[in-house]
């Protein structure tokens, strides 16, 4: 008898098949003497939509809420139904004696396989492969120590409990809000707290009051000196204080009181997980989180040059270290060839800064594979993302940057002044930054929250004059600098991803245990779903983008006000995660958690129905919908504007304009394409206007720019987006997001 192995993804399935000697190709599976390996495509089975329970929930009515099926059913996902049938047929083969679950080692991976098995109705013995990497060595070791699948029953129950809770709360709250206000409104455990985080940032910006601050720089013949206050700050809010300091020390003599020289080390940043990669790609190239994930999926599945992208780990397991030389040989193309060559000449050692088995959960950090690539075969976005992965991988392998820092302190009339200089002795991993800078791809600074009143002291890169204790310094002139404190920046996709990953500071009043739980479980959503959550908020017009920054729309603000308050806080996710962890560890019964969720669902539907609050369309136009005759809404799409029918049951939409990659010949900003047919034209905020036909002619004459193929593809995309319904009941409510 043979064993059937079910992997979560084709690439992992093929890796396992190769190690197990399964070379005979089938349609969706590979077979050998002892094993048959097949795979899912992520989830092949999901919770059934409400309409499948009968006529009662096919129409959206308040009197049919809450929807509380006695037993939640599962259904095959239509898009991947063919692969489901392939897996099912393999499970029922007479020569298959047992099933080996080889999906991802985690809660969601357990759910992927178990739902397929449950839906098929097969009854055969089951084993579990539990590995966190898919190297040949890890696969062999895993198959030598298979465990009984019953050991993971509690983990499976926790996964089901999470999925069912999201279904009950998310769909009922969404239907109740939508029916109550006759508008396409949705809320949920992850998307609503995400809106609340954005709202809090906007409130901070609105309430912020700028304050002037002052600093002082004194010049001597040797150098420029920065004033320091008693609390070691280089600025003060009191102009009189800084003016007095200047008056005291101008043309005065300072005495050198301290000369400190110390060797410093700067260590490379950690390897990428998906969220940190999405953040850097957004800062450097303006890629959305979804774009970065799509590029990564292509690099992973099509080109096979990077490891699994949907990971939340920034470390490698020890067994990966022996494969590093081959990975270095694979990524020797491009600007990093010299560094790869240098690293290959020395033994590769894994240290705790990037190798730690205990810090790897389902998957290790994102690194290049052993598969080589011709960079010319990659699209622009794919190449940029691949180069980011390679650069971070190489940075981790290089030694730390070493430099000598000198800090001199001088005192004049009781006032302290400092001078700092830094001499690099060994660039180490900073070689990567130097190469990036030469190539014009230096990483933009992180957009951390700006603190009020901070004015950084200057550090001179390079040597500074030599000073001795007691040396006299004559201050010849001084200059007072003035600045103003700045409010926090609005969120970009990069900083919103960071806030979703670590939302603890937005949990006002929550106890420390809940905050700790949320920090340990990865925050709001998962690395695999955050991009989809952000896209869903754009798609439902609850957020919009102005320049690079994300802002709430009127709809988003109203949804926050109308949604049950418990859904607007990350605290709900923290509480759920605590209870789900208890279920997975056998400390709590799934049925008790489910009973609690059902009670909560009844309460939120009652709250919404009883609310006296109203929803108001603030973006109505005078244009009528060609399908139902009602007035249309003008909304800001993520990359442009469109008209949408206000009637949720109609769902008509029409694209008005879309931001393109075509650059204005006057100000070089991205232009919008508006109009229809022969009247299509590019417009720019600077006032520039140009017909599409004239633009194409001009670009053709110059031998560059957008090709007819690009324009055609773009217009097809616009037409497709215009056809997409905004009111599909189940799809729009959850958008197939597996949280």
């Amino acid at each position: 008898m043979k064993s059937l192995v079910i992997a979560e993804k084709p690439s992992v399935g093929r890796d396992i098949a190769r190690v197990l000697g399964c070379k005979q190709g089938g349609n969706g599976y590979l077979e050998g003497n002892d094993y048959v390996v097949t795979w899912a495509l992520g989830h092949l089975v999901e919770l059934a939509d409400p309409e499948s329970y009968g006529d009662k929930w096919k129409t959206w009515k308040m009197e049919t809420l809450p929807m509380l099926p006695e037993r939640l059913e599962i259904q095959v996902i239509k898009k991947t139904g063919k692969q489901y049938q392939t897996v099912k047929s393999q499970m029922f083969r007479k020569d298959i004696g047992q099933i080996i679950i080889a999906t991802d080692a985690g809660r969601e991976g357990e759910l992927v396989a178990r739902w397929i098995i449950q839906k098929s109705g097969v009854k055969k013995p089951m084993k579990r492969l539990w590995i966190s990497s898919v190297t040949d060595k890890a696969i062999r070791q895993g198959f030598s120590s298979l465990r009984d699948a019953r050991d993971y029953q509690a983990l499976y129950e926790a996964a089901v409990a999470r999925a069912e809770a999201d279904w009950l709360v998310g769909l009922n709250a969404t239907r109740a809000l939508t029916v109550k206000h006759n508008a396409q409104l949705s809320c949920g455990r992850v998307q609503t707290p995400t809106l609340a985080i954005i709202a809090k940032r906007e409130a901070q910006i609105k309430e912020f009051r700028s304050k002037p601050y002052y600093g002082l720089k004194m010049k001597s013949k040797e150098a420029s000196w920065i004033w320091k206050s008693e609390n070691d700050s280089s600025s003060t809010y009191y102009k009189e204080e800084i003016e007095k300091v200047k008056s005291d020390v101008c043309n005065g003599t300072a005495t050198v009181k301290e000369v400190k020289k110390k060797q410093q080390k700067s260590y490379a940043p950690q390897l990428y997980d998906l969220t940190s990669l999405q953040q850097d790609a957004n800062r450097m190239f303006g890629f959305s989180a979804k774009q970065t994930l799509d590029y990564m999926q292509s690099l992973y599945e099509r080109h096979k040059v990077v490891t699994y992208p949907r990971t939340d780990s920034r470390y490698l397991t020890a067994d990966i270290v022996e494969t590093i030389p081959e990975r270095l040989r694979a990524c020797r193309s491009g600007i990093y060839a010299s560094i790869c060559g240098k690293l290959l000449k020395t033994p590769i050692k894994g240290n705790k800064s990037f190798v730690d088995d205990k810090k790897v959960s389902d998957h290790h950090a994102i690194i290049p594979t052993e598969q080589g690539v011709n960079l010319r075969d990659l699209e622009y976005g794919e190449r940029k993302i691949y180069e980011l992965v390679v650069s971070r991988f190489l940075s981790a392998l290089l030694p730390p940057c070493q430099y000598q820092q000198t800090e001199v302190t001088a005192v004049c009339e009781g006032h302290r002044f400092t001078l700092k200089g830094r001499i690099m002795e060994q660039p180490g991993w900073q070689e990567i930054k130097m190469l990036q800078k030469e190539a014009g791809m230096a990483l933009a600074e992180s957009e951390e929250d700006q603190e009020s009143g901070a004015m950084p002291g200057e550090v001179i890169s390079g040597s500074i004059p030599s000073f001795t204790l007691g040396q006299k310094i004559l201050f010849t002139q001084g200059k007072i600098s003035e600045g103003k404190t700045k409010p926090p920046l609005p969120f970009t996709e990069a900083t919103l991803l960071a806030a979703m990953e670590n939302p603890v500071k937005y949990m006002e009043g929550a106890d420390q245990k809940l905050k700790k739980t949320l920090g340990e479980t990865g925050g709001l959503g998962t690395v695999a779903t955050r991009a989809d959550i952000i896209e869903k908020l754009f798609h439902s017009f609850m957020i919009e983008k102005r320049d690079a920054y994300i802002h709430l729309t009127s709809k988003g603000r109203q949804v926050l006000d109308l949604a049950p308050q418990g859904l607007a806080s990350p605290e709900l996710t923290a509480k759920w995660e605590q209870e789900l962890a208890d279920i997975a560890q056998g400390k709590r019964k799934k049925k008790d958690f489910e009973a609690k969720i059902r009670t909560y669902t009844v309460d939120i539907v009652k709250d919404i129905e009883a609310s006296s609050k109203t929803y108001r369309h603030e973006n109505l136009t005078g244009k009528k919908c060609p399908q139902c005759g009602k007035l249309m809404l003008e909304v800001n799409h993520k990359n442009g504007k469109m008209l949408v029918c206000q009637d949720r049951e109609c769902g008509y939409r029409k694209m008005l304009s879309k931001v393109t990659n075509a650059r204005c010949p006057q100000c070089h900003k991205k232009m919008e394409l508006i109009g229809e047919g022969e009247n299509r034209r590019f417009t720019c905020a600077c006032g520039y206007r140009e017909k599409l036909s004239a633009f194409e002619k001009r670009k053709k004459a110059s031998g560059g720019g957008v090709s007819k193929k690009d324009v055609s593809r773009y217009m097809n995309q616009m037409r497709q987006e215009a056809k997409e319904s905004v009111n599909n009941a189940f799809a729009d409510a959850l958008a197939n997001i597996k949280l």
Side-chain angles (χ1 to χ4, degrees), residues 282-512:
N282 182 254
R283 292 187 194 111
M284 290 182 72
F285 313 120
F287 295 161
S288 70
K290 186 68 166 61
Q291 282 177 309
T292 299
L293 179 55
D294 289 344
Y295 291 138
M296 275 296 296
Q297 283 296 130
S298 178
L299 291 168
Y300 171 65
E301 293 176 359
R302 179 181 165 206
H303 300 287
K304 306 184 189 307
V305 293
V306 299
T307 56
Y308 183 65
R310 297 169 187 255
T311 176
D312 60 357
S313 175
R314 305 189 72 171
Y315 290 85
L316 303 178
T317 49
D319 59 350
I320 297 291
V321 176
E322 64 187 42
T323 71
I324 288 177
E326 195 171 347
R327 296 175 195 269
L328 286 170
R329 283 188 280 271
C331 56
R332 278 188 292 186
S333 57
I335 64 173
Y336 304 117
S338 60
I339 291 179
C340 291
K342 185 196 302 184
L343 286 168
L344 283 166
K345 292 177 182 177
T346 58
I348 302 295
K349 295 181 180 179
N351 59 61
K352 282 292 184 180
S353 66
F354 67 96
V355 179
D356 191 337
D357 289 22
K358 294 178 181 178
K359 293 182 179 178
V360 177
S361 52
D362 298 1
H363 300 279
H364 60 67
I366 298 169
I367 58 174
T369 65
E370 299 94 330
Q371 178 83 32
V373 64
N374 186 335
L375 294 178
R376 286 176 293 184
D377 293 337
L378 303 180
E379 294 179 10
Y380 170 80
E382 293 172 342
R383 177 167 178 165
K384 291 301 181 186
I385 296 302
Y386 179 69
E387 287 177 338
L388 275 185
V389 173
V390 170
S391 67
R392 186 58 62 91
F393 173 62
L394 298 178
S395 295
L397 299 176
L398 288 167
C401 170
Q402 295 185 25
Y403 57 91
Q404 183 187 80
Q405 181 161 302
T406 302
E407 182 174 353
V408 184
T409 301
V411 176
C412 180
E413 299 296 329
H415 303 293
R416 189 163 59 98
F417 293 82
T418 62
L419 172 65
K420 293 180 182 179
R422 180 180 294 174
I423 300 174
M424 185 179 290
E425 296 178 338
Q426 178 181 308
W429 70 273
Q430 290 277 2
E431 278 190 70
I432 298 292
K433 279 195 170 183
M434 294 173 187
L435 287 171
Q436 288 176 335
K437 193 171 183 179
E438 289 173 9
M441 55 179 290
L443 182 60
E445 291 298 318
S446 176
E447 296 171 17
E448 301 295 339
D449 293 352
Q450 297 179 11
E451 299 294 336
S452 298
M455 188 174 74
E458 293 185 4
V459 178
I460 300 169
S461 294
S463 61
I464 61 174
S466 179
F467 294 93
T468 57
L469 289 177
Q471 183 176 339
K472 303 300 181 182
I473 306 294
L474 177 63
F475 286 157
T476 56
Q477 58 179 307
K479 182 179 180 181
I480 294 176
S481 59
E482 182 176 347
K484 285 189 175 181
T485 57
K486 296 178 181 179
L489 290 168
F491 282 115
T492 61
E493 286 203 41
T495 52
L496 183 57
L497 284 168
M500 292 174 73
E501 184 178 41
N502 186 24
V504 170
K505 63 182 176 182
Y506 302 95
M507 295 173 64
E508 294 177 356
D511 64 42
Q512 292 303 312

Side-chain angles (χ1 to χ4, degrees), residues 227-289:
W227 170 77
K228 289 283 185 174
S229 68
E230 289 182 1
N231 60 5
D232 208 37
S233 172
S234 58
S235 63
T236 177
Y237 292 118
Y238 304 103
K239 190 173 184 179
E240 298 80 6
E241 178 185 5
I242 208 73
E243 287 176 338
K244 183 179 185 306
V245 174
K246 181 183 176 184
S247 175
D248 288 348
V249 303
C250 203
N251 296 315
T253 300
T255 303
V256 174
K257 294 291 186 181
E258 188 176 40
V259 178
K260 288 195 300 187
K261 291 187 178 183
K262 56 182 178 181
Q263 298 296 123
Q264 297 275 58
K265 287 185 179 181
S266 165
Y267 293 91
Q270 288 182 287
L271 295 170
Y272 281 125
D273 61 4
L274 179 59
T275 300
S276 57
L277 178 62
Q278 287 169 322
Q279 288 173 296
D280 277 359
N282 182 254
R283 292 187 194 111
M284 290 182 72
F285 313 120
F287 295 161
S288 70

Side-chain angles (χ1 to χ4, degrees), residues 47-81:
L47 288 172
D49 57 52
E51 290 78 4
S52 67
Y53 289 90
D55 294 339
K56 181 180 178 182
W57 293 327
K58 283 185 177 177
T59 56
W60 292 35
K61 296 179 180 177
M62 190 66 79
E63 53 265 32
T64 63
L65 300 178
M67 301 177 291
L68 297 170
E70 185 175 333
R71 175 188 172 89
L72 285 171
E73 303 294 336
I74 54 177
Q75 65 185 16
V76 177
I77 299 172
K78 289 182 181 179
K79 283 185 179 180
T80 52

